[in-house]
Amino acid sequence: MTTDEIQDEPAAVTKQGSPTPAETTRRPGAAAGRTGGRTGGRTGGRTGGRTGGRSGRAAEGGVLNVFSHGILVVWALMVGVPLLWVLWSAFKDSNGILTDPWGLPTVLHWENWSNAWDDANMGQYFVNTAIVVGGSVVGTMVLGSMAAYVLARFTFPGNRFIYYLFVAGMSFPVFMLVIPLFFVLRDFPGSSLLATYHGLILVYIAYSLPFTVFFMTAFFRTLPASVAEAAMIDGASHTRTFFQVMLPMAKPGLISIGIFNFLGQWNQYLLPMVLNQQEDKYVLTQGLAMIALQQGYENDWGALMAGMMIAMLPVLVVYSIFQRQVQSGLTAGALK
């Protein structure tokens, strides 16, 4: 092989096995094009998928939002319309209520309210209810919060058993307890507790304690234990730690369960009807039932509507004042 042939061989190899400079220049562009196409396709597919998913979720959320708002509107009408009807009927006379029940009053009959308060003894029934419910709510909150704090913060034999006994108390319908309660109060050692304020207060406390302990136990478990430990290190006793440290921290839960107890005890009808049969100690629910029975003879429907408003106003006022505290108390355990 001559020297010229040896010099020409690398050139042949270059032509056959390696890309030429022009091909080397073209291929990066083609590779960039392929890479850009793939990247654009993937990015477009992902963006389109995400956009479609978001649009689908937004549409689904819009449907649920419309449905939930519709349910709320229907519920508001079911609650608000009867309330407004009782309100404007309380200012109409009996003839106006019977002939035009849905019409607004043309003349405001304020005497309906005075008749209900004085003649129908709604004033006395209101005072009786305030005494019984006030005492029972305070007793329920004090005893229930103390029991809940012990069950939530201390470990001792029988802790869970006692807790589940309170929980089981919520499962018993009040109809099963009426007859035993009647005999317990009638045969109470010393003197009968039937038709007495303190007898009815004790029954209301026992009736409301299970749910109060159940609710407050869960709430006390959400409070930081380090605060109570710091108070104990500073020399505070268990009693002082509870009343001055832990109880103020549980204020949202106390207000929430206090409102629930107030509503349930204010509207209680079966227990006072069986256990409180003395007319001068009737509560509002008993007084309204007696007024309703008397309408067949006296035909004073305006006074009945005014009496119903007198019974409902304290509940509406209390809930309207403390509604924010009720909501914060119900969500406090989930937010901690």
Side-chain angles (χ1 to χ4, degrees):
M1 182 178 294
T2 63
T3 304
D4 295 336
E5 291 175 349
I6 293 174
Q7 292 176 352
D8 292 340
E9 185 174 358
V13 172
T14 303
K15 291 179 182 179
Q16 295 177 1
S18 304
T20 62
E23 292 174 347
T24 304
T25 305
R26 289 194 300 269
R27 287 189 180 182
R34 288 194 296 270
T35 304
R38 292 173 184 172
T39 305
R42 292 173 182 173
T43 305
R46 292 174 182 173
T47 305
R50 292 174 182 173
T51 305
R54 292 174 182 173
S55 301
R57 288 193 294 269
E60 182 180 357
V63 173
L64 292 176
N65 198 18
V66 171
F67 179 76
S68 61
H69 278 74
I71 294 296
L72 290 176
V73 169
V74 173
W75 180 258
L77 291 175
M78 292 174 60
V79 174
V81 171
L83 181 62
L84 292 176
W85 180 75
V86 173
L87 177 60
W88 71 60
S89 297
F91 294 98
K92 299 165 65 175
D93 58 2
S94 298
N95 185 43
I97 294 175
L98 296 177
T99 57
D100 188 14
W102 294 106
L104 294 174
T106 56
V107 179
L108 298 181
H109 293 272
W110 293 98
E111 65 273 10
N112 294 337
W113 295 77
S114 61
N115 292 339
W117 187 265
D118 296 326
D119 298 340
N121 292 326
M122 291 299 294
Q124 181 63 43
Y125 304 151
F126 187 93
V127 173
N128 295 340
T129 306
I131 293 173
V132 173
V133 174
S136 59
V137 168
V138 172
T140 302
M141 300 308 300
V142 172
L143 297 177
S145 59
M146 293 172 66
Y149 177 74
V150 172
L151 293 175
R153 291 296 182 183
F154 296 94
T155 302
F156 54 89
N159 179 297
R160 304 305 298 171
F161 177 74
I162 297 175
Y163 173 75
Y164 286 118
L165 277 180
F166 281 108
V167 174
M170 297 188 297
S171 64
F172 286 95
V174 67
F175 303 97
M176 296 178 58
L177 306 175
V178 170
I179 295 178
L181 280 174
F182 178 86
F183 288 107
V184 168
L185 295 184
R186 189 194 66 177
D187 302 332
F188 195 81
S191 63
S192 175
L193 296 180
L194 288 176
T196 60
Y197 290 139
H198 52 284
L200 204 55
I201 288 173
L202 291 176
V203 172
Y204 278 14
I205 291 175
Y207 173 76
S208 304
L209 266 182
F211 181 69
T212 302
V213 172
F214 171 76
F215 184 92
M216 291 305 299
T217 300
F219 195 90
F220 276 121
R221 287 172 180 168
T222 65
L223 300 180
S226 58
V227 179
E229 294 173 357
M232 298 293 292
I233 293 174
D234 290 338
S237 62
H238 290 293
T239 303
R240 186 175 181 182
T241 301
F242 171 71
F243 283 104
Q244 295 187 2
V245 178
M246 303 305 293
L247 202 61
M249 294 176 61
K251 182 180 177 180
L254 289 173
I255 293 177
S256 299
I257 195 63
I259 295 299
F260 289 141
N261 286 331
F262 175 80
L263 296 179
Q265 295 173 7
W266 187 272
N267 296 320
Q268 183 61 242
Y269 174 72
L270 181 62
L271 289 176
M273 181 60 66
V274 176
L275 306 177
N276 184 33
Q277 299 178 359
Q278 190 171 338
E279 186 174 343
D280 61 343
K281 293 184 179 178
Y282 274 5
V283 295
L284 280 172
T285 51
Q286 293 175 282
L288 286 174
M290 187 173 64
I291 295 175
L293 292 175
Q294 292 175 352
Q295 297 313 307
Y297 305 98
E298 298 181 2
N299 197 26
D300 191 0
W301 297 101
L304 175 62
M305 299 300 175
M308 293 177 65
M309 286 305 305
I310 291 173
M312 288 189 292
L313 280 176
V315 175
L316 298 175
V317 171
V318 169
Y319 187 79
S320 62
I321 293 175
F322 295 104
Q323 58 178 334
R324 293 187 181 275
Q325 286 81 356
V326 171
Q327 295 171 3
S328 63
L330 293 176
T331 57
L335 296 177
K336 289 186 181 293

